[in-house]
Amino acid sequence: MATTTTKTGQPLDRPQLDSLLRRRLFFTPAFEVYGGVSGLYDYGPPGCSLQANIIDTWRKHFVLEEDMLEVDCTMLTPHEVLRTSGHVDKFADWMCKDPKTGEIFRADHLVEEVLESRLKSDKEARGQKVEVDEEKEAKKKRKTKDTKAIKLDDAVAQEYEEILAKIDNYGGDELGLLITKYNIKNPTTGGDVLPPVAFNLMFQTSIGPSSNLAGYLRPETAQGQFLTFQKLLEFNQQSMPFASACIGKSFRNEISPRAGLLRVREFLMAEIEHYVDPEGGKKHPRFHEVKNVNVGLLDRKVQLSGRTEVTHMTIGEAVASGTVDSETLGYFIARIYLFLVRIGVDPKKMRFRQHMANEMAHYAADCWDAEIQTSYGWIECVGCADRSAYDLTVHSKKTGAPLCVRETRSEPLHIEEWQVDLDKKKFGPKFKKDGKTVEAAVDALTQDMREKLSVSLAQTGKIQVDVPGVGDGKVEIEKDLVKIEKRTKIEHTREYTPNVIEPAFGIGRILYSLLEHVYWSREGSEERGVLSFPPPIAPTKVLLVPLSGHSDFKPLVGRLSQKLRQLGISNRVDDSSASIGKRYSRNDELGTPLGITVDFQSVKDNTFTLRDRDSTKQVRSDEDTICAAIRSLVEGQKTWADVQEELPEFTQQETD
Amino acid sequence: MATTTTKTGQPLDRPQLDSLLRRRLFFTPAFEVYGGVSGLYDYGPPGCSLQANIIDTWRKHFVLEEDMLEVDCTMLTPHEVLRTSGHVDKFADWMCKDPKTGEIFRADHLVEEVLESRLKSDKEARGQKVEVDEEKEAKKKRKTKDTKAIKLDDAVAQEYEEILAKIDNYGGDELGLLITKYNIKNPTTGGDVLPPVAFNLMFQTSIGPSSNLAGYLRPETAQGQFLTFQKLLEFNQQSMPFASACIGKSFRNEISPRAGLLRVREFLMAEIEHYVDPEGGKKHPRFHEVKNVNVGLLDRKVQLSGRTEVTHMTIGEAVASGTVDSETLGYFIARIYLFLVRIGVDPKKMRFRQHMANEMAHYAADCWDAEIQTSYGWIECVGCADRSAYDLTVHSKKTGAPLCVRETRSEPLHIEEWQVDLDKKKFGPKFKKDGKTVEAAVDALTQDMREKLSVSLAQTGKIQVDVPGVGDGKVEIEKDLVKIEKRTKIEHTREYTPNVIEPAFGIGRILYSLLEHVYWSREGSEERGVLSFPPPIAPTKVLLVPLSGHSDFKPLVGRLSQKLRQLGISNRVDDSSASIGKRYSRNDELGTPLGITVDFQSVKDNTFTLRDRDSTKQVRSDEDTICAAIRSLVEGQKTWADVQEELPEFTQQETD
């Protein structure tokens, strides 16, 4: 794995970043004073504000921009709904238990860990350099026993490599066979493990006092959205296409959570369900607006050939060449890209990877993940799946609710078809108890068969139909009982189940990846970390720093703070006795993009210096001008370069 | 119960409002196509947007305004935390089961329902008018059997009335006795019910694959906040007072949910934990800013005397007179009041009611509820509790974590005290195995005792100390073993557990109450409902209406829509073929405060009419002026009256 880098291209020192994030309370293990619960994290003030700003931007970028119908559905979900959706049966991982110690392993992780450790040992025995894969190291919960370097047969080493390449594709039985065949044990104790059993990843509970209504915490927000489809379509005045959106927590009872915010048990999602007519190639009315957006794609074919090179092309080219299946899928890939760049993700550390056929969730027809490169490897942060008509169909079938679109055809549809009329009065007496069965067999005849039978009827005066279970399986019907004619049917309405394109965002993963991308440290003083959030995303926008504790500064600082607050701009005052440099350093770590220094000149003429976090450059102007500049920076209308061009630079005062 | 009224003072027709809210998809029963789950609701687009705007205003009003430390804590909470907080033992309701039918009743509701029905029947038998209490009627899940009017003894009727007045105060045993004594049965079948058992209201689940880590969905956001106290204090640079805040879902497994959004199983809360030094009377530094806010108070004393009159006074007077215990509690009562008015709650339908001593949650030292009047009665929407040091103390005791503040005293504290020195070397050999017990008894001596013993030691050369369990319970210590002297102890730091003032907002209840308060119907056409949200709260701000489907209008509408979107102002286009009046009516029901009509004049000179939802008055001006007016209305800086004064009225066009 290539070393990941900071925003400024230096090697990323993750422990140093982690320490910053802990120190500044971006997030923290939940219930830490009780020893913590793995996979559960709390967001502290800067993390919480960052999350709120990402969500706010998401809402503007997607919901407001496209008039999506936002809904807020419950997390508690009854068993029946998730059984129909397939989650009760299929939303599971395989786990193995060590019966002696009671330890539980995720079966694929266990196989992976043991084989990798053997390969590493083999390399050592061969005197080869061992590359440490940080992602994999981070995944390990426990230290494996220090083993002596043992050389493997070349063929065995080869087998191990092949298994590891396919590790995501094995089912429970196959994992069990691998464990037996390769004698895989508990890495800590060397003890045997039991065969893998499926562990459903949903948190179960019971709703109401009688405990006979089983429920789960939702694994995705999607199901609630699907079940309100009919009401939303009506709200949208029956107009297609449209999208619903939902922002909320989902849950996944991971067997062994790891890698910090990247694999947790409770997480914030933002999901869009875009409903589209499956006919006509899933066009999108606004595709032209994004067709020139250039994205990095890693398609299925490249992966199948064992390679991982990303191909850069415009989304227009990708759709035209068939790499991306439809305009609608392509439209959302481009919109996801623009969103991620807007909040500060480095476009050079982003790619869209197509799922392999056997890797997709049970409901997906096609899927592209927006993956972001971090020190844990390429992390799936947004899934963009074509769920086809899967969900609406299964729920409709189960409940009888019409989860479909009925459209009046602009022109009635004329359908030429062979119709069969049976003379019911004579039919019953003749076939008696078999009447219904014969009738059903006739109704099920294809158009081709009907045409052939009409010929036979005209020629022989009777037809012969296959009816399994009646007599010898063939039934003859005379012409006095049956008529076959070609007629024209006129359909005025069209009924169809829309397909769903679903961009699903894991906000916690995006947030963590973003932290890695905006992190860097000042040249020459590596301990001075900076988080260069774009101003609209930054947790706090402005730091107010009085030069000293002098009483003249207090009213000015108070007035400025209130004024900014009224403009909706979050700001903090640091009037501690630390040096100005120290106070700015602290806020560099918090990612505060702007600072105002209040000095003696301010008291005299109501002018202030405004400092840019990234360049540490300063400009100076009067209160109103400074506030206007801040507002335009925070709302994303201007950059610091614009402001620096407009306002006089200020260099007198040493701030570092 | 007095009839509740609409915004314009007409009697509120709840079924009509309900029908509007359903039709416009403000909220809807969750999983309705699966038959629904009681107590679970989804918010549709206008409800979801309304909720987001309330939350946004809340964040500005509280978090941003007071630099609160917002956190986002997990909902999944381990058993141990909620056992310590008292919720595992005490967060329960009493339920009774009918063993024949399997029906489960909330015990207090059952007693209430049966006794009320008997009293009603008694009144009918006495020929008295029976007032229908809509709140109570709505609470009933099922129809009680139609009973003949039966007259009660005067004494019995009196007993029933007294029981009903105290119904919230009975425990499980007492409810059981009432059920037996008054022969209370299943109202539908007349069958016996089993004695009440406690039903814990938390949803239980298990965390991780081993099922030995029991957890619950949090019943409040508070516990997560308390457990991060120490980190937040450090983040706040050890400075007190400060507040944390958390917005998120909480859960309550109601025995029998009812009354729509008012009693649900999953609900959004916004909670503040304000930490204050318990010494010095819990002053608040910004109390002077709110001291003239006039609020309606219903204190404990008035309620004890059986009355419900609200007393109006400024919060300054309330604190000065001791009605409200402290400045900090008073400060938040005033701030809550200002928030509710800001989002559109009618101040005449709002009161603050103090909890009775036996009504408070197990952790509360004092509590005032902001209650809002609705057609369901007075509804508790915000609780403002003084939780004292309860939570930090129990968690600290359980875990050993120092959930407290350590302050360097500005002046070291000099404490004069009697100190006792024991000569350990001689002490051990003399008292042998009793040494530790005697020493502990000496250490436990009060200052008064020490002073007396010092006199006795000086006079008699020995002291006598009570040491239960050693010898005859009295031990003599000679002066060669003990010295007692008055000395000065100097304390440089002060350690204390802060008290917590907790304003806790039930967002769903506020949202529903608000809907009732802003609802009215146009005079003379009662079916035309209007929801008069203040513009900053309204789900959609602007409706764009082209006069007709003429193609000249399309580009203007598109440009306006995009321009408003860029200003962050949500808007919808209605270019359906319905009349302008119909289109505006639909949006009156959605509460859209502003409408822009695009007509042929607009095409000529780029001027537009702007319509006010409440008055249906219109003004006309050029695009930029109209957009600026909209922005100032939506941000709450101007009222429609301001705009109407500034811009020329437009009367030509008929819009109704």
Side-chain angles (χ1 to χ4, degrees):
Chain A
M1 164 139 314
T3 312
T4 43
T5 54
T6 66
K7 184 177 168 67
T8 47
Q10 308 307 309
L12 179 77
D13 183 343
R14 193 165 71 210
Q16 203 159 43
L17 171 59
D18 280 348
S19 146
L20 184 161
L21 297 175
R22 240 190 343 268
R23 195 165 57 243
R24 296 305 170 210
L25 211 52
F26 275 84
F27 54 90
T28 176
F31 313 109
E32 212 174 16
V33 303
Y34 277 83
V37 177
S38 58
L40 294 182
Y41 289 87
D42 293 338
Y43 287 77
C48 192
S49 174
L50 177 60
Q51 177 181 264
N53 294 338
I54 291 174
I55 285 298
D56 185 54
T57 305
W58 192 89
R59 208 174 243 138
K60 282 185 189 135
H61 187 85
F62 291 104
V63 179
L64 196 59
E65 181 62 33
E66 306 190 21
D67 279 348
M68 291 178 177
L69 304 182
E70 190 179 340
V71 294
D72 184 11
C73 301
T74 63
M75 297 168 204
L76 287 165
T77 308
H79 173 87
E80 206 57 14
V81 170
L82 291 162
R83 204 166 68 96
T84 306
S85 71
H87 288 87
V88 170
D89 294 330
K90 294 179 191 155
F91 191 66
D93 279 344
W94 297 96
M95 67 172 182
C96 292
K97 191 170 180 173
D98 177 333
K100 282 227 183 83
T101 64
E103 269 175 285
I104 290 171
F105 303 92
R106 209 175 113 173
D108 55 343
H109 288 179
L110 176 66
V111 172
E112 196 175 33
E113 182 176 340
V114 170
L115 297 192
E116 273 172 359
S117 144
R118 290 183 194 165
L119 282 170
K120 189 176 154 217
S121 158
D122 171 59
K123 282 195 178 160
E124 283 167 2
R126 289 170 193 250
Q128 294 171 0
K129 186 171 167 284
V130 178
E131 264 185 38
V132 177
D133 182 329
E134 289 203 45
E135 177 186 12
K136 298 264 170 70
E137 284 302 310
K139 280 181 184 171
K140 289 182 194 160
K141 264 177 70 181
R142 66 207 85 72
K143 287 264 176 234
T144 45
K145 285 200 297 185
D146 264 350
T147 43
K148 270 183 292 181
I150 297 170
K151 190 166 174 296
L152 301 169
D153 277 355
D154 287 0
V156 172
Q158 175 67 20
E159 271 178 61
Y160 285 5
E161 294 285 5
E162 281 164 15
I163 291 164
L164 289 173
K166 292 185 288 187
I167 193 71
D168 290 341
N169 304 336
Y170 293 108
D173 290 346
E174 295 160 309
L175 287 166
L177 288 174
L178 292 174
I179 288 169
T180 316
K181 179 168 177 195
Y182 296 106
N183 199 27
I184 286 169
K185 311 276 187 184
N186 180 338
T188 326
T189 66
D192 282 329
V193 297
L194 298 175
V197 293
F199 175 70
N200 192 288
L201 297 174
M202 293 192 292
F203 287 96
Q204 192 168 1
T205 189
S206 73
I207 302 172
S210 68
S211 28
N212 55 15
L213 182 56
Y216 299 95
L217 294 177
R218 65 179 176 204
E220 55 175 7
T221 72
Q223 298 305 322
Q225 297 187 61
F226 296 138
L227 296 181
T228 56
F229 169 76
Q230 209 66 29
K231 292 174 190 168
L232 291 173
L233 179 64
E234 200 185 313
F235 184 83
N236 207 42
Q237 302 177 290
Q238 306 293 337
S239 161
M240 283 282 294
F242 75 95
S244 68
C246 184
I247 301 163
K249 293 272 171 86
S250 295
F251 301 82
R252 200 178 152 115
N253 199 3
E254 294 287 349
I255 293 173
S256 53
R258 55 196 190 176
L261 290 190
L262 298 180
R263 191 166 284 282
V264 293
R265 288 177 165 151
E266 177 177 330
F267 45 89
L268 188 64
M269 296 196 77
E271 287 189 304
I272 295 165
E273 312 297 334
H274 178 90
Y275 297 101
V276 61
D277 187 340
E279 275 186 17
K282 302 185 187 176
K283 299 273 180 210
H284 194 286
R286 294 178 68 174
F287 185 71
H288 63 276
E289 295 179 29
V290 300
K291 70 175 196 295
N292 293 324
V293 173
N294 202 294
V295 290
L297 300 176
L298 172 55
D299 70 21
R300 197 177 285 161
K301 272 183 277 176
V302 173
Q303 295 172 70
L304 267 178
S305 69
R307 291 172 302 136
T308 58
E309 307 102 56
V310 166
T311 310
H312 286 269
M313 61 179 98
T314 67
I315 200 72
E317 289 162 358
V319 170
S321 66
T323 307
V324 167
D325 182 57
S326 69
E327 275 193 4
T328 300
L329 203 54
Y331 176 76
F332 280 109
I333 287 176
R335 293 285 298 158
I336 291 166
Y337 174 88
L338 293 173
F339 168 73
L340 292 173
V341 171
R342 180 169 173 180
I343 62 168
V345 171
D346 184 344
K348 293 186 300 298
K349 297 176 182 169
M350 200 198 313
R351 70 180 184 196
F352 286 84
R353 189 181 70 80
Q354 191 176 26
H355 276 208
M356 309 298 287
N358 58 5
E359 180 193 2
M360 283 188 291
H362 61 271
Y363 46 73
D366 192 9
C367 187
W368 289 82
D369 285 341
E371 293 187 332
I372 303 181
Q373 194 179 25
T374 73
S375 64
Y376 292 98
W378 285 96
I379 300 301
E380 169 200 346
C381 289
V382 188
C384 192
D386 183 340
R387 294 177 79 132
S388 68
Y390 178 83
D391 303 273
L392 293 182
T393 306
V394 293
H395 286 303
S396 178
K397 219 164 151 184
K398 177 74 190 172
T399 62
L403 302 177
C404 59
V405 176
R406 286 176 61 88
E407 271 179 3
T408 304
R409 293 184 183 277
S410 52
E411 308 249 321
L413 189 68
H414 295 254
I415 305 167
E416 294 259 297
E417 63 173 19
W418 290 96
Q419 294 182 349
V420 184
D421 302 331
L422 296 175
D423 186 334
K424 300 280 171 71
K425 272 185 200 154
K426 297 183 186 158
F427 204 77
K430 166 143 192 184
F431 293 103
K432 306 213 168 69
K433 69 170 174 52
D434 294 329
K436 292 244 177 248
T437 316
V438 178
E439 198 179 325
V442 172
D443 281 349
L445 290 169
T446 63
Q447 287 292 314
D448 278 0
M449 279 301 289
R450 288 169 189 218
E451 185 169 5
K452 276 182 207 154
L453 292 175
S454 77
V455 178
S456 140
L457 187 63
Q459 289 172 350
T460 66
K462 61 183 179 188
I463 61 171
Q464 195 184 55
V465 181
D466 290 343
V467 190
V470 173
D472 62 353
K474 292 197 185 298
V475 169
E476 286 203 342
I477 310 175
E478 305 280 335
K479 70 169 181 213
D480 60 330
L481 293 185
V482 67
K483 193 171 9 172
I484 304 184
E485 276 182 9
K486 192 162 200 173
R487 297 181 196 132
T488 299
K489 191 174 81 175
I490 300 175
E491 266 187 18
H492 293 276
T493 60
R494 174 175 164 240
E495 193 175 294
Y496 67 93
T497 303
N499 280 18
V500 172
I501 307 290
E502 177 193 78
F505 297 70
I507 301 297
R509 289 182 170 197
I510 293 173
L511 184 146
Y512 177 79
S513 308
L514 175 64
L515 287 168
E516 281 202 2
H517 287 204
V518 300
Y519 172 67
W520 57 290
S521 44
R522 301 252 182 238
E523 220 185 306
S525 48
E526 275 60 41
E527 74 295 350
R528 291 186 50 197
V530 185
L531 293 173
S532 284
F533 301 111
I537 297 299
T540 303
K541 312 305 184 195
V542 185
L543 174 71
L544 296 170
V545 184
L547 192 64
S548 70
H550 196 287
S551 63
D552 280 1
F553 298 147
K554 220 178 168 72
L556 269 74
V557 169
R559 202 184 60 224
L560 270 174
S561 176
Q562 200 190 356
K563 187 162 187 176
L564 290 169
R565 216 154 48 214
Q566 276 164 357
L567 292 169
I569 296 167
S570 66
N571 62 88
R572 288 203 171 255
V573 176
D574 187 348
D575 52 8
S576 70
S577 57
S579 73
I580 288 210
K582 273 236 174 74
R583 285 183 270 169
Y584 275 130
S585 283
R586 178 170 188 271
N587 282 275
D588 284 349
E589 291 195 341
L590 287 165
T592 309
L594 299 164
I596 293 180
T597 317
V598 177
D599 54 22
F600 289 106
Q601 191 65 31
S602 313
V603 179
K604 274 188 226 151
D605 64 3
N606 208 35
T607 64
F608 302 89
T609 61
L610 180 65
R611 174 195 185 258
D612 172 50
R613 171 199 58 207
D614 295 352
S615 63
T616 72
K617 295 275 187 228
Q618 299 188 93
V619 295
R620 185 161 193 122
S621 190
D622 63 274
E623 181 176 332
D624 285 344
T625 311
I626 291 292
C627 286
I630 290 172
R631 188 171 186 169
S632 61
L633 285 164
V634 164
E635 292 181 351
Q637 286 141 4
K638 283 187 186 167
T639 65
W640 178 256
D642 300 331
V643 169
Q644 221 179 345
E645 212 157 87
E646 288 165 19
L647 302 182
E649 194 173 346
F650 182 73
T651 49
Q652 291 150 263
Q653 192 178 271
E654 189 68 286
T655 61
D656 285 337
Chain B
M1 165 140 313
T3 312
T4 43
T5 54
T6 66
K7 186 178 167 65
T8 47
Q10 308 306 309
L12 179 78
D13 183 342
R14 193 166 70 211
Q16 204 158 42
L17 171 60
D18 280 348
S19 147
L20 183 162
L21 297 176
R22 237 190 344 268
R23 194 165 58 244
R24 296 304 171 210
L25 211 52
F26 275 84
F27 54 91
T28 176
F31 313 110
E32 211 174 15
V33 302
Y34 277 83
V37 176
S38 57
L40 295 181
Y41 289 87
D42 291 339
Y43 288 75
C48 193
S49 174
L50 177 60
Q51 177 180 265
N53 295 338
I54 291 174
I55 285 298
D56 186 54
T57 306
W58 192 89
R59 210 175 239 138
K60 283 186 187 133
H61 187 85
F62 291 104
V63 179
L64 197 58
E65 180 63 34
E66 305 191 18
D67 278 348
M68 290 177 178
L69 305 181
E70 191 179 341
V71 294
D72 185 10
C73 300
T74 63
M75 296 167 203
L76 287 165
T77 307
H79 177 268
E80 205 56 15
V81 170
L82 292 161
R83 204 168 66 97
T84 306
S85 70
H87 288 86
V88 170
D89 294 331
K90 295 179 189 153
F91 191 67
D93 279 343
W94 297 96
M95 66 173 182
C96 293
K97 190 170 180 172
D98 177 334
K100 283 224 183 83
T101 64
E103 272 176 284
I104 289 171
F105 304 90
R106 206 174 115 172
D108 55 343
H109 289 179
L110 176 66
V111 171
E112 196 176 33
E113 182 176 341
V114 171
L115 297 192
E116 272 172 1
S117 143
R118 289 183 193 166
L119 282 171
K120 187 175 156 221
S121 156
D122 171 60
K123 281 192 180 164
E124 283 165 5
R126 290 168 194 252
Q128 294 171 0
K129 183 169 168 292
V130 178
E131 266 183 37
V132 177
D133 181 329
E134 288 203 46
E135 177 185 14
K136 297 264 170 69
E137 285 302 310
K139 280 181 184 171
K140 287 180 197 166
K141 267 176 67 177
R142 67 208 82 72
K143 289 261 178 235
T144 45
K145 287 200 296 187
D146 264 350
T147 44
K148 270 182 295 183
I150 297 170
K151 189 166 174 297
L152 301 170
D153 277 355
D154 287 1
V156 172
Q158 173 68 19
E159 270 177 60
Y160 284 6
E161 295 283 8
E162 280 165 15
I163 290 163
L164 289 172
K166 291 184 289 185
I167 193 71
D168 290 340
N169 303 335
Y170 294 107
D173 290 347
E174 294 160 310
L175 288 165
L177 289 173
L178 292 174
I179 288 170
T180 315
K181 181 170 176 193
Y182 296 106
N183 199 27
I184 286 169
K185 311 276 187 185
N186 180 336
T188 328
T189 65
D192 283 327
V193 297
L194 297 175
V197 292
F199 174 69
N200 192 289
L201 297 173
M202 293 191 293
F203 287 96
Q204 193 169 359
T205 189
S206 72
I207 303 172
S210 67
S211 29
N212 56 16
L213 182 57
Y216 301 94
L217 295 177
R218 67 180 174 201
E220 56 174 6
T221 73
Q223 298 305 321
Q225 298 187 61
F226 296 140
L227 295 181
T228 55
F229 168 75
Q230 208 66 29
K231 292 173 189 168
L232 291 172
L233 179 63
E234 201 185 311
F235 183 83
N236 207 43
Q237 301 176 291
Q238 306 293 337
S239 158
M240 284 280 295
F242 75 95
S244 68
C246 185
I247 300 164
K249 292 273 172 82
S250 295
F251 301 82
R252 201 178 151 115
N253 199 2
E254 293 287 348
I255 293 173
S256 53
R258 55 193 190 180
L261 289 191
L262 298 181
R263 190 167 286 282
V264 293
R265 287 177 166 149
E266 177 176 330
F267 47 88
L268 188 64
M269 295 195 78
E271 288 190 303
I272 294 164
E273 312 297 335
H274 178 90
Y275 297 101
V276 60
D277 186 342
E279 273 187 18
K282 303 186 186 176
K283 299 275 181 206
H284 195 287
R286 293 177 69 173
F287 185 71
H288 64 278
E289 295 178 30
V290 300
K291 69 177 197 296
N292 293 324
V293 173
N294 202 295
V295 290
L297 300 176
L298 173 54
D299 70 22
R300 194 176 285 161
K301 270 184 277 175
V302 173
Q303 295 172 70
L304 265 178
S305 70
R307 292 171 301 137
T308 58
E309 307 103 55
V310 166
T311 310
H312 287 271
M313 61 179 98
T314 67
I315 200 71
E317 288 162 357
V319 170
S321 65
T323 307
V324 167
D325 181 56
S326 70
E327 275 193 3
T328 300
L329 203 55
Y331 177 77
F332 280 108
I333 287 176
R335 293 286 298 159
I336 291 165
Y337 174 89
L338 293 172
F339 168 74
L340 292 173
V341 171
R342 182 170 172 179
I343 62 169
V345 171
D346 184 345
K348 294 187 298 298
K349 297 176 182 170
M350 200 200 311
R351 70 181 185 195
F352 286 85
R353 190 181 69 80
Q354 190 176 26
H355 275 206
M356 309 298 286
N358 57 4
E359 178 191 3
M360 284 188 290
H362 61 270
Y363 46 72
D366 192 9
C367 187
W368 289 82
D369 284 342
E371 293 188 332
I372 304 182
Q373 195 177 25
T374 75
S375 64
Y376 292 99
W378 285 96
I379 300 300
E380 169 200 345
C381 289
V382 188
C384 192
D386 182 340
R387 293 177 82 132
S388 68
Y390 177 84
D391 303 272
L392 293 182
T393 305
V394 292
H395 287 303
S396 177
K397 219 164 150 181
K398 178 75 190 169
T399 62
L403 303 176
C404 59
V405 177
R406 285 177 61 88
E407 271 178 2
T408 304
R409 293 183 183 277
S410 52
E411 309 247 319
L413 190 67
H414 295 254
I415 306 167
E416 294 257 296
E417 62 173 19
W418 290 95
Q419 294 181 349
V420 183
D421 303 331
L422 297 176
D423 187 332
K424 300 277 171 74
K425 272 185 200 157
K426 297 181 186 161
F427 205 74
K430 165 143 193 182
F431 290 105
K432 304 210 170 67
K433 70 173 174 50
D434 294 329
K436 292 245 177 242
T437 318
V438 177
E439 201 180 321
V442 171
D443 281 349
L445 290 169
T446 62
Q447 286 292 313
D448 277 0
M449 278 301 289
R450 287 169 190 220
E451 185 170 4
K452 275 183 206 154
L453 290 176
S454 78
V455 176
S456 141
L457 186 65
Q459 289 174 348
T460 66
K462 62 186 177 187
I463 60 171
Q464 195 183 57
V465 181
D466 290 342
V467 190
V470 173
D472 62 352
K474 290 194 186 302
V475 168
E476 285 203 344
I477 309 174
E478 307 279 335
K479 70 173 182 209
D480 59 330
L481 294 184
V482 65
K483 194 172 4 170
I484 305 183
E485 274 184 7
K486 190 162 201 172
R487 297 181 198 132
T488 301
K489 191 174 77 176
I490 301 175
E491 267 188 17
H492 293 275
T493 61
R494 178 179 160 232
E495 194 175 296
Y496 67 92
T497 303
N499 279 21
V500 171
I501 307 291
E502 178 193 77
F505 296 71
I507 300 298
R509 289 182 170 196
I510 293 172
L511 184 146
Y512 177 78
S513 307
L514 176 64
L515 287 168
E516 281 204 1
H517 287 203
V518 299
Y519 173 67
W520 57 290
S521 44
R522 301 255 183 234
E523 220 185 308
S525 49
E526 275 61 39
E527 74 295 350
R528 293 187 48 197
V530 185
L531 292 173
S532 284
F533 301 111
I537 296 299
T540 303
K541 312 303 186 196
V542 184
L543 174 72
L544 297 171
V545 184
L547 192 62
S548 72
H550 197 285
S551 63
D552 281 1
F553 299 147
K554 221 177 166 72
L556 269 75
V557 170
R559 202 183 61 225
L560 269 174
S561 177
Q562 198 190 357
K563 186 161 187 176
L564 289 170
R565 217 156 45 216
Q566 276 164 357
L567 292 170
I569 296 167
S570 66
N571 62 88
R572 289 203 171 256
V573 176
D574 188 346
D575 52 9
S576 69
S577 57
S579 73
I580 288 211
K582 272 238 174 73
R583 286 184 270 169
Y584 275 130
S585 281
R586 178 170 188 271
N587 281 274
D588 284 349
E589 290 196 341
L590 287 165
T592 309
L594 299 165
I596 293 180
T597 317
V598 177
D599 53 24
F600 290 106
Q601 191 63 32
S602 312
V603 179
K604 274 187 227 154
D605 65 2
N606 207 33
T607 63
F608 303 90
T609 61
L610 180 65
R611 174 195 185 258
D612 172 49
R613 171 198 58 208
D614 295 353
S615 63
T616 71
K617 295 276 188 231
Q618 298 187 94
V619 295
R620 186 157 192 125
S621 191
D622 63 90
E623 182 177 330
D624 285 343
T625 309
I626 292 290
C627 286
I630 290 172
R631 187 171 188 169
S632 61
L633 285 165
V634 164
E635 291 181 351
Q637 285 141 6
K638 283 186 185 168
T639 64
W640 177 256
D642 300 331
V643 169
Q644 220 178 346
E645 212 156 90
E646 288 164 19
L647 301 181
E649 195 171 346
F650 182 74
T651 48
Q652 289 149 261
Q653 189 179 277
E654 190 67 289
T655 61
D656 285 337

